[in-house]
Amino acid sequence: MGGRKTTNHEFQTALQGKKIPLVILDSKWHGLFSDDGKPRSIVRLEKKANEYLKKQARLNQDIKDLKNLKEKLMKNIMENMEETEEEQESVRLREDRRLISEINVKLRQAYADLEELPKELDAVNEALMVESMEYCYEKMRANEIESEAIRKWLEKTREEVKQKAARRQTVQDKNREIYSYMHDIFGADIIDIFDLTYEKEPTQKEEEERQS
């Protein structure tokens, strides 16, 4: 995973025409940052993406409400047109038509805003994906460096363990050899006397534990 770092421009060029899932809605995407938390650049983009989603939901609700209101006003106009054209009724009709005209303007604006939102959301989502990819690959590079350091440490430790095990075997063999020679030189009776004496003396480890 080493080598030259890919730039944002190269990422974006390679991603042209690709459909990218909305990452902030994926729990696994959030799980990518469970160890260290999200970098500030990603938090900032995530906040912007959430704002676009909220705006999208708000616009859809506004359109729904405006359509319902327009439908009621249209119904009022139809009902009032069937009645006698008194001055009060004419004022009501004019007010309803004015309100419908305002609603139409608001609907056109809401539809225009709603049409632009996916482009803005896609741009932020793409930036989020690129930032996430860079974070993940940097994280994996760091993990690989740590993994390699641990591998080298394990190799060194295994070699040290082998050397210590070989040294332990050597000193144990030497002790057996010394004891055997002592038996041959001084005889079992004398060795038994000295065994009893030395077995009663504390070892170096026991002496250190007693003094601590």
Side-chain angles (χ1 to χ4, degrees):
M1 291 177 197
R4 185 179 64 84
K5 184 177 179 181
T6 308
T7 65
N8 279 7
H9 175 72
E10 288 172 320
F11 272 130
Q12 289 163 352
T13 301
L15 291 170
Q16 283 182 354
K18 302 286 193 303
K19 183 62 179 175
I20 305 168
L22 193 56
V23 295
I24 63 172
L25 300 181
D26 192 332
S27 60
K28 290 181 180 178
W29 176 77
H30 293 279
L32 291 174
F33 312 98
S34 57
D35 290 341
D36 307 320
K38 294 168 185 168
R40 275 184 287 184
S41 58
I42 287 181
V43 170
R44 186 175 62 252
L45 289 168
E46 181 186 9
K47 182 180 178 182
K48 190 177 290 187
N50 277 315
E51 287 172 356
Y52 284 143
L53 283 178
K54 289 176 183 177
K55 184 177 179 180
Q56 191 175 52
R58 187 171 65 250
L59 283 170
N60 281 321
Q61 185 60 49
D62 287 348
I63 289 171
K64 182 180 177 182
D65 293 342
L66 287 168
K67 281 183 173 181
N68 288 336
L69 180 57
K70 182 178 178 179
E71 186 177 342
K72 289 178 182 178
L73 290 171
M74 292 291 292
K75 185 178 179 182
N76 286 343
I77 290 174
M78 295 301 295
E79 289 175 352
N80 290 332
M81 286 178 65
E82 294 174 359
E83 296 177 3
T84 56
E85 292 188 2
E86 299 175 359
E87 184 179 348
Q88 187 177 354
E89 296 296 332
S90 297
V91 170
R92 183 184 301 172
L93 282 172
R94 285 197 298 272
E95 179 63 15
D96 287 347
R97 290 193 180 99
R98 186 189 66 79
L99 289 173
I100 287 175
S101 179
E102 286 185 1
I103 289 172
N104 287 336
V105 171
K106 290 179 180 179
L107 278 173
R108 282 194 295 272
Q109 186 60 54
Y111 278 122
D113 292 343
L114 196 60
E115 188 176 354
E116 287 299 314
L117 263 179
K119 301 173 189 175
E120 296 170 340
L121 187 56
D122 283 348
V124 172
N125 189 53
E126 184 177 295
L128 258 178
M129 195 214 67
V130 170
E131 291 281 344
S132 301
M133 285 291 192
E134 289 189 343
Y135 168 86
C136 289
Y137 277 101
E138 285 299 323
K139 183 73 174 175
M140 287 191 289
R141 286 189 191 100
N143 286 343
E144 282 188 350
I145 291 170
E146 183 180 0
S147 175
E148 180 62 15
I150 292 171
R151 183 191 66 77
K152 290 179 179 178
W153 178 85
L154 287 172
E155 282 186 358
K156 181 181 177 183
T157 303
R158 277 195 291 266
E159 186 60 32
E160 288 178 356
V161 168
K162 285 168 63 178
Q163 292 173 3
K164 293 289 185 184
R167 177 60 184 163
R168 181 173 182 267
Q169 187 64 48
T170 299
V171 297
Q172 286 179 333
D173 291 344
K174 191 63 179 177
N175 272 359
R176 281 191 289 269
E177 181 184 34
I178 292 170
Y179 196 75
S180 176
Y181 286 172
M182 288 167 61
H183 254 274
D184 294 343
I185 296 169
F186 302 111
D189 291 341
I190 293 177
I191 291 299
D192 286 344
I193 293 171
F194 279 88
D195 278 349
L196 290 172
T197 300
Y198 279 96
E199 283 175 1
K200 289 179 181 178
E201 290 186 0
T203 63
Q204 183 179 355
K205 181 180 179 183
E206 290 171 339
E207 182 66 22
E208 290 173 353
E209 290 177 350
R210 185 180 67 79
Q211 292 178 359
S212 62

